[in-house]
Amino acid sequence: MATFFAKNIDRRGRIVRAIWGVALIVAGLLLWERSQWLCLLLVGFGVFAFYEAGRGWCLLRACGIKTKF
């Protein structure tokens, strides 16, 4: 299990995930009036993207899927 959570992205990938996290959180907050469930879902994914950026780890790469960044 330790190898699953090993760092697998570089600095550029971490920056991309941090930007993606900001975009998801902003989009979620803008949709609060329309759908609170969608807002919470997007904010949750944004927080997870920040976790990936902070840890230097990507869930998709850990599962064997190739990503561009």
Side-chain angles (χ1 to χ4, degrees):
M1 197 66 158
T3 59
F4 184 78
F5 289 106
K7 290 185 178 190
N8 58 10
I9 56 175
D10 59 358
R11 183 174 178 264
R12 191 171 112 193
R14 293 174 79 171
I15 292 170
V16 168
R17 278 153 188 83
I19 292 170
W20 180 240
V22 169
L24 287 172
I25 291 172
V26 168
L29 294 176
L30 290 174
L31 292 173
W32 176 257
E33 292 294 321
R34 183 166 207 142
S35 172
Q36 293 175 357
W37 286 106
L38 184 58
C39 170
L40 293 175
L41 186 69
L42 289 174
V43 169
F45 282 131
V47 169
F48 184 72
F50 275 130
Y51 172 76
E52 287 184 326
R55 173 115 182 163
W57 172 78
C58 176
L59 176 65
L60 293 176
R61 283 187 174 217
C63 290
I65 300 171
K66 302 288 183 191
T67 62
K68 188 173 182 179
F69 300 104

